[in-house]
Amino acid sequence: MVTTRAQPADADALEPSPLPHLRSDRLRSWLLYGLKSNSGSHPGPHAETVEKTHSWWRVMCLTGVDYFSTLGYQPAIAAVAAGLLSPMATIVLVLLTLLGALPVYRRVARESFRGEGSIAMLERLLPWWGGKLFVLVLLGFAATDFMITITLSAADATAHAVENPFAPAWFDGAEVPLTLGLVALLGIVFLKGFKEAINIAVVLVAVFLALNAVVIVVSIGHVFDNPVVVTDWWAALTAQHGNPFVMVGIALIVFPKLALGLSGFETGVAVMPQITGAPGDTAANPVGRIRGAKRLLLTAALIMSTFLITSSIVTTLLIPQEQFQAGGEANGRALAYLAHEFLGDIFGTAYDISTICILWFAGASAMAGLLNIVPRYLPRYGMAPQWAAAVRPLVLVFTAIAFLITILFDANVDAQGGAYATGVLVLITSASIAVTLSALHKKQRRRTVGFAAIAAVFVYTTIVNVIERPDGVRIAAVFIVGIIVVSLISRVQRSFQLRATSVTLDAQARDFVESDADDYGAIRIISHEPNTGSADEYRKKLSEERRDSGIPGRAPVLFLEVYPADSSNFEEDLQVGGVIRHGFRILQVKSGNIPNTLATILLEIRDVTGVVPEIYFEWTEGNPISNMFRYLITGTGEVAPVTREVLRRAEASRSRRPDVHVS
């Protein structure tokens, strides 16, 4: 058995020039450094392949730089969205977190433990082109989630800096330039090469949560010292909404506006490869890693739920409602407002610095997620330019997009909340649908009903959020359209490339080609589309090819048959088997694309035997244009000319290129 990795002949052209003499060559060399990196192997918290793993609680801090950092702005956004009902709406959100999102993602952790998240589950459950298009749509929402994480976090970090009493006077009114500076700094870090910094994440999360706990405990003490704030709040609430049942009903309606508090779950499963497993873990069933991920999700959810409820209560009771509005001192920074109010400007400044650091690092986590999710899916689909496998061009693209979003939203935290919530909710909704389909497929009736109910709640939440704040869908639509357009163009441009990541000849197939090469010095292959598989079918095909193509009467031949598979796949591992049927020697392979597969196998046979093979076709019937469209969609169509073109592009040397005969 022989296994080799198929590489295009022009692969060397993709490598940085070793001796660049022109400025453009140096720039290209720098940009495309690391182009051959495997999908999902880029550095960062979301990397699929890591050199060192960590305890689940340390990895939880990687989740925390995204999840826990929302405390910097979540209480203020909740107050703007729900007003005096913020605590009740937050309790509804916490119930949905613990009874909905948590069970869903514990299941995702069990079934998608390589860091690919719920998108990979749907990819497996929805094959062919429909599944690919659905994944592209989800990637658009994932891009929205990660991009808005970068811009919203940077904007809120700027808000904390501007409102600090020790900040320079020129900070006021310079929110957009300051936010752009933070985004640019993030891009520079990744252009230089972001290294995994789990120790930094642990310190940032520990300090940030400790400072938040101090602020909340002190604030609760002020509530006990001044119980009148509770009676004033309740009086204002009843005046606005009437009896408690009406309040509960309204809280159920408005809680989707608080969906930012669900942001950490997709990140939680994305960092699973970082978790140290048990000694008995296997690649197919890492029980210890899965158990650690479930502990991570549960602990993070409990910690965040506690902070969400307590922060919502103290900020609603102790901060005047007008301070939450645009221009107010608590806008986007409610807990920071309390920190300065009750603990002084020195402590408040320490809280601001901690918040700025963790929000900036949340942007770094999001950028790392983008750098891993794009190469993990699009190049494998053949739906990305080749440069999309390199880190630096993607960093420049994502940084430019972040600049544009920041300018369009004027670095406003509230304005971006809807878009962020939309991205988060769509991903969680897709995850709940994925686990529902998984339970249904495995005939787990009770779990199917339970997950379906959770999915229905998230669908409702997503729809309400989209209706009330359509900005998220608009941004996601831009990403989705951009991804689909680029994907289709890339798929067409790369249609004549070798697609196989590896080719394996079994013992019988190897014996067939080596015996012909050793005994006759020639390997003649007839491309055959299998039909009934009868002896007459093979005899007729062989007779026609000997007559029309001039194959010598006693020259041995091999039949090569490609059996159809998922034509939407771009990269494949080809398994070539040899069989003898009715006395005829046949090479069989399963693939979603015929011409590229034939070309790859011909080159593999050449490399294995040292003899350049020849292949014989008959012309395809039908309109050439319609056949070309069939090729692009189904992988069939104009087989002979496309096979020849793939070979021509893959092998520049005419003497080493397999011959294609058509009759």
Side-chain angles (χ1 to χ4, degrees), residues 26 82 117 130 278 281 284 294 297 363 458 500 517 536 602 615 657:
R26 291 196 295 269
D281 280 5
K294 290 181 176 180
L297 293 169
F458 279 120
D536 288 341
L602 291 173
I615 189 167
R657 188 188 308 154

Side-chain angles (χ1 to χ4, degrees), residues 444-467:
Q444 300 170 334
R445 294 184 179 179
R446 291 184 178 179
R447 294 184 180 181
T448 300
V449 172
F451 286 131
I454 294 172
V457 173
F458 279 120
V459 168
Y460 157 77
T461 307
T462 303
I463 293 174
V464 170
N465 183 80
V466 168
I467 292 174

Side-chain angles (χ1 to χ4, degrees), residues 494-550:
R494 300 182 65 188
S495 58
F496 296 112
Q497 291 181 2
L498 295 177
R499 302 184 182 184
T501 53
S502 67
V503 184
T504 301
L505 302 175
D506 71 4
Q508 185 75 286
R510 182 184 176 91
D511 179 67
F512 288 164
V513 298
E514 287 186 339
S515 61
D516 281 10
D518 294 340
D519 297 341
Y520 299 94
I523 302 174
R524 297 179 176 89
I525 297 173
I526 295 176
S527 176
H528 179 236
E529 182 178 357
N531 190 5
T532 63
S534 65
D536 288 341
E537 178 184 336
Y538 289 99
R539 278 196 294 266
K540 182 179 179 181
K541 180 70 173 179
L542 178 58
S543 176
E544 290 175 350
E545 289 297 340
R546 288 193 187 277
R547 181 193 67 216
D548 298 336
S549 301

Side-chain angles (χ1 to χ4, degrees), residues 290-612:
I290 294 171
R291 183 169 57 248
K294 290 181 176 180
R295 290 175 179 171
L296 180 157
L297 293 169
L298 176 61
T299 305
L302 291 175
I303 292 174
M304 190 62 176
S305 296
T306 301
F307 275 102
L308 283 175
I309 293 175
T310 54
S311 65
S312 176
I313 292 173
V314 296
T315 55
T316 302
L317 293 177
L318 297 174
I319 300 177
Q321 286 294 302
E322 62 270 14
Q323 294 294 340
F324 292 114
Q325 305 304 315
E329 295 182 13
N331 181 252
R333 53 186 300 277
L335 288 174
Y337 177 94
L338 294 179
H340 284 275
E341 183 75 14
F342 297 135
L343 293 163
D345 289 338
I346 299 298
F347 182 92
T349 299
Y351 181 88
D352 287 339
I353 293 173
S354 171
T355 305
I356 291 170
C357 290
I358 197 169
L359 287 169
W360 185 85
F361 207 75
S365 175
M367 180 70 82
L370 284 168
L371 292 175
N372 284 281
I373 198 170
V374 170
R376 186 170 291 175
Y377 287 98
L378 295 186
R380 180 160 54 87
Y381 292 173
M383 291 181 171
Q386 291 175 325
W387 55 259
V391 174
R392 286 167 178 161
L394 287 180
V395 171
L396 293 175
V397 170
F398 295 143
T399 303
I401 295 173
F403 272 29
L404 180 61
I405 293 174
T406 298
I407 294 171
L408 289 177
F409 283 98
D410 200 29
N412 187 291
V413 176
D414 295 332
Q416 298 177 71
Y420 188 20
T422 298
V424 170
L425 284 172
V426 169
L427 289 180
I428 294 181
T429 301
S430 66
S432 62
I433 293 173
V435 298
T436 301
L437 293 175
S438 173
L440 179 64
H441 179 72
K442 296 179 179 179
K443 298 180 179 180
Q444 300 170 334
R445 294 184 179 179
R446 291 184 178 179
R447 294 184 180 181
T448 300
V449 172
F451 286 131
I454 294 172
V457 173
F458 279 120
V459 168
Y460 157 77
T461 307
T462 303
I463 293 174
V464 170
N465 183 80
V466 168
I467 292 174
E468 294 189 355
R469 296 185 289 181
D471 287 341
V473 173
R474 293 170 186 161
I475 293 178
V478 173
F479 280 112
I480 291 167
V481 171
I483 288 174
I484 291 177
V485 170
V486 171
S487 297
L488 294 179
I489 293 173
S490 300
R491 182 80 182 222
V492 172
Q493 289 180 336
R494 300 182 65 188
S495 58
F496 296 112
Q497 291 181 2
L498 295 177
R499 302 184 182 184
T501 53
S502 67
V503 184
T504 301
L505 302 175
D506 71 4
Q508 185 75 286
R510 182 184 176 91
D511 179 67
F512 288 164
V513 298
E514 287 186 339
S515 61
D516 281 10
D518 294 340
D519 297 341
Y520 299 94
I523 302 174
R524 297 179 176 89
I525 297 173
I526 295 176
S527 176
H528 179 236
E529 182 178 357
N531 190 5
T532 63
S534 65
D536 288 341
E537 178 184 336
Y538 289 99
R539 278 196 294 266
K540 182 179 179 181
K541 180 70 173 179
L542 178 58
S543 176
E544 290 175 350
E545 289 297 340
R546 288 193 187 277
R547 181 193 67 216
D548 298 336
S549 301
I551 301 176
R554 294 186 178 182
V557 297
L558 293 168
F559 287 93
L560 178 52
E561 300 175 344
V562 180
Y563 290 84
D566 188 347
S567 60
S568 65
N569 289 331
F570 190 83
E571 295 181 352
E572 297 177 294
D573 294 311
L574 300 180
Q575 305 286 333
V576 183
V579 298
I580 297 177
R581 183 180 299 154
H582 310 302
F584 299 99
R585 299 176 303 160
I586 305 170
L587 300 177
Q588 297 179 330
V589 64
K590 189 175 183 180
S591 172
N593 181 280
I594 295 177
N596 306 67
T597 297
L598 295 176
T600 302
I601 293 174
L602 291 173
L603 293 173
E604 176 68 14
I605 291 173
R606 179 202 65 184
D607 295 340
V608 168
T609 64
V611 174
V612 179

